Amino acid sequence: MRFARIAFGLLLALVGLLVTLAGAVAAFWLVGPDNTLATGSKPLASRGLAVMTAPDLLDRHGPTLHVTAAAAKPVFVGVGQDIDVASYLGTSEYTRVVRLNPPSDLDTQEMKGDVAALTPPGGLDWWIVKAGGSGEQSVAWPIADGRYDVVVMNADGSPGVDARVVLGVELEGAFATCLLVLGIGMVLLVGGLLLMFLRKRKTPAPPAPVIPSPMPYTPPALQGSGRVRRVATAGTAVTSLLLVATGCVAVPEKNAGSQAMTRPAVALADGQAVVKRYNEVNNQANQARNAKLSETIEGGTTLAQTRAGYRINSKLDAAGKNKTKPFTYTDPQIGAPEFAAYPMRFVAFSGVSDDPESRQLGVWQRQSAGTPWVLTNSVYPLATTKVPPVDDLRVPTKADMAKLPILPQTAGNDLAAYLTGGAKSSKAALFVPSPRTVMLLSQRAKSKVDAVKADYISTVTDTFRLSGDPVTFITSTGEALVFLSLTEQYLQTIEPGHNAYFTSGPETAFSSMVKYTQTLHQNYLYQAALVIPPTGKPRILSLDGQLVSAGGS
């Protein structure tokens, strides 16, 4: 049995040697005292705009991801949700990391597309973590469950990325586990060597006693076999302990799913920062009457109204003596619904610094991840108007829409018919009007009566129409908060044999001293906000208009 003991000892020593080497390599080369398994510095280059990981590459969560990049040019490193990164890169050319082969290899795939420079990434607010600038840039992020991408690109958003990148994953307790493996390997190695070379010391046998009956005798060879079994049992126990100790720590959890994620359109602090930036840029644009500057913070109907207002003010106040005084939207309350794709929108409900009797209710929209937030809808309800809470807003589902007594599109068309027909319209009974709506209809009714008194005006028509699709949100109270745009054409028919023209007022910004023989028209653009409750009439929160053109035929 001595041969069996030596053979088993040799096997145990070989296993111990392999485990010792594996533990030493893992502890002092792969992992290290910082518990981080890293790829080492790898050159990553792309002719396109970025190098990014595929969304399915980070398929486990829990450990901390470390990314370090260095390049000759200022470099940017960021981690973002795939919703945002995919929208930001869009159809751009970039390099995708599709596979990691620890410890040092990775596979890439070239994604063809445009190479036009992107918006510099550092100024975008949707990154989970980011770092950018000259020299080495590093980020650390506890990997979350979901679809996330790591992006390395030039800090200015230009094409042609050439950086050296280190990717590492910090596993809590990894270094200690590797040391434990090293220790177990050494125990197995020493145990194997002892079995191979340590011989039991022989001693003289004592005189055999006289006993009544012979006792069972265990041969020395079998005693050695029992020692082998005890060593093997101890090794098995230690190995089992190692598996139990490291099974949950060393293996991160698999992500729950790979479906598209949703996220709030904006964080509270970021939404407030958007409003703050709007205040600053808007006041600069107002002082300069600079529509180009307004384009960086406004869009849609809001921008169209601003452009028309600047044109009118430049005509009526060419010397610039009556420019809009600086004002701000104060204490904005942010309502940010969840979105799974762009465009994204959020709502802000604010005070107005120069008008304590009014509030501002606006919709900010971001068309893609690389574009700025712009104010697309903006109304000014009175401070006494009951506005539903904007926190916990959500994008309406089919089930939400089915609960409404009237759909937003239908409500918009009915509102246009109500404004066209005036206070006596059959649609008037469908709405609870705002004070300013009542005032507008009263002014239009008076204007029609006064116009036809003139010898040169034959008839007057006033027509409102819904423009575009309503923007709808569902509030925490189950009501629909709806933003609409409407157009109005105030048309005057000229009596035969007469002519008419605009001699003063806002209309002269679009048509001054031009004589018309058939019609005069003034075109207005309105923004409206409605609340459609589950029961009852829709309430008009505000209706705000701006003359946008004038002329005739």
Side-chain angles (χ1 to χ4, degrees):
M1 300 305 292
R2 183 170 177 270
F3 174 78
R5 178 167 58 83
I6 293 175
F8 185 77
L10 177 61
L11 178 62
L12 200 62
L14 289 175
V15 171
L17 179 61
L18 292 176
V19 173
T20 299
L21 291 175
V25 169
F28 301 109
W29 183 55
L30 293 179
V31 178
D34 59 358
N35 293 319
T36 301
L37 177 65
T39 62
S41 180
K42 303 294 295 182
L44 285 177
S46 175
R47 294 183 307 170
L49 279 300
V51 177
M52 66 166 279
T53 58
D56 295 330
L57 196 61
L58 301 178
D59 61 350
R60 294 182 181 272
H61 61 278
T64 300
L65 176 70
H66 294 268
V67 185
T68 300
K73 302 196 312 186
V75 67
F76 173 86
V77 182
V79 178
Q81 292 192 31
D82 187 60
I83 298 172
D84 304 303
V85 175
S87 174
Y88 176 55
L89 293 179
T91 58
S92 298
E93 181 174 339
Y94 64 94
T95 299
R96 174 181 285 180
V97 179
V98 295
R99 185 179 294 107
L100 292 175
N101 303 308
S104 60
D105 292 334
L106 46 83
D107 297 332
T108 61
Q109 178 184 12
E110 297 300 322
M111 310 299 291
K112 301 298 183 182
D114 301 327
V115 291
L118 297 173
T119 302
L124 301 174
D125 57 22
W126 43 260
W127 297 103
I128 307 299
V129 291
K130 63 181 179 180
S134 301
E136 189 175 272
Q137 301 296 319
S138 299
V139 297
W141 172 61
I143 303 175
D145 188 357
R147 293 170 64 85
Y148 293 89
D149 305 323
V150 179
V151 178
V152 177
M153 59 188 297
N154 293 329
D156 60 359
S158 62
V161 181
D162 187 8
R164 297 196 67 86
V165 179
V166 178
L167 293 174
V169 177
E170 181 183 345
L171 298 167
E172 185 178 353
F175 182 64
T177 300
C178 293
L179 291 179
L180 182 60
V181 171
L182 174 61
I184 290 174
M186 295 179 67
V187 170
L188 295 177
L189 176 60
V190 172
L193 293 174
L194 289 175
L195 285 176
M196 290 172 59
F197 300 111
L198 186 62
R199 297 182 180 181
K200 185 177 178 181
R201 200 161 113 190
K202 295 182 179 180
T203 58
V210 179
I211 54 176
S213 60
M215 296 294 291
Y217 174 69
T218 302
L222 292 182
Q223 292 176 6
S225 178
R227 190 182 303 114
V228 171
R229 285 197 299 271
R230 287 194 295 274
V231 172
T233 302
T236 302
V238 172
T239 303
S240 300
L241 178 62
L242 174 64
L243 292 175
V244 171
T246 62
C248 296
V249 175
V251 181
E253 293 185 39
K254 189 79 174 177
N255 287 350
S258 58
Q259 297 180 355
M261 299 172 60
T262 61
R263 70 163 180 84
V266 70
L268 174 61
D270 291 332
Q272 292 173 336
V274 169
V275 177
K276 180 180 179 181
R277 178 178 180 273
Y278 177 88
N279 290 334
E280 296 170 355
V281 178
N282 183 54
N283 283 325
Q284 294 174 16
N286 288 341
Q287 292 303 303
R289 292 171 181 162
N290 186 339
K292 286 291 184 181
L293 189 55
S294 293
E295 291 174 6
T296 65
I297 55 169
E298 293 182 346
T301 305
T302 302
L303 179 59
Q305 289 182 329
T306 295
R307 285 171 172 163
Y310 287 167
R311 181 170 179 175
I312 291 170
N313 291 336
S314 296
K315 172 69 176 181
L316 301 183
D317 180 35
K321 295 180 179 180
N322 298 311
K323 290 184 178 179
T324 303
K325 294 181 179 180
F327 69 95
T328 58
Y329 298 147
T330 61
D331 302 320
Q333 301 173 35
I334 305 298
E338 297 254 341
F339 287 89
Y342 284 85
M344 294 188 182
R345 300 183 180 95
F346 75 88
V347 174
F349 183 47
S350 312
V352 184
S353 62
D354 66 343
D355 187 3
E357 296 183 355
S358 298
R359 299 288 183 268
Q360 191 266 351
L361 183 63
V363 177
W364 267 262
Q365 177 174 300
R366 172 176 265 168
Q367 191 64 29
S368 71
T371 56
W373 286 105
V374 293
L375 182 62
T376 56
N377 302 80
S378 182
V379 295
Y380 294 84
L382 294 175
T384 55
T385 301
K386 182 182 178 182
V387 176
V390 298
D391 55 335
D392 296 325
L393 289 181
R394 66 177 187 272
V395 177
T397 63
K398 290 183 179 179
D400 291 323
M401 300 297 269
K403 295 177 183 178
L404 299 177
I406 184 172
L407 293 177
Q409 186 81 24
T410 303
N413 288 322
D414 286 348
L415 176 60
Y418 164 37
L419 297 174
T420 298
K424 296 181 181 180
S425 167
S426 60
K427 302 292 185 180
L430 300 178
F431 295 92
V432 178
S434 67
R436 288 172 179 168
T437 303
V438 174
M439 183 182 301
L440 171 66
L441 294 179
S442 176
Q443 291 173 344
R444 288 293 185 264
K446 184 177 184 302
S447 295
K448 292 178 184 178
V449 172
D450 292 342
V452 295
K453 290 180 180 180
D455 295 337
Y456 58 92
I457 298 299
S458 173
T459 58
V460 177
T461 58
D462 190 19
T463 306
F464 288 78
R465 289 186 175 86
L466 179 65
S467 176
D469 296 324
V471 176
T472 305
F473 304 94
I474 302 299
T475 70
S476 58
T477 59
E479 299 173 307
L481 178 59
V482 182
F483 294 85
L484 305 167
S485 294
L486 302 105
T487 62
E488 177 196 12
Q489 184 177 69
Y490 187 81
L491 182 67
Q492 302 172 79
T493 305
I494 301 172
E495 288 280 8
H498 291 77
N499 57 53
Y501 51 91
F502 299 110
T503 60
S504 62
E507 296 81 3
T508 58
F510 307 98
S511 178
S512 180
M513 305 302 291
V514 177
K515 295 181 179 180
Y516 302 101
T517 59
Q518 295 177 320
T519 62
L520 287 177
H521 65 256
Q522 295 146 274
N523 296 322
Y524 295 83
L525 189 55
Y526 285 86
Q527 299 195 64
L530 308 177
V531 172
I532 303 177
T535 58
K537 301 178 181 180
R539 306 192 310 272
I540 303 174
L541 297 180
S542 187
L543 182 67
D544 301 271
Q546 170 67 53
L547 178 69
V548 294
S549 67
S553 59

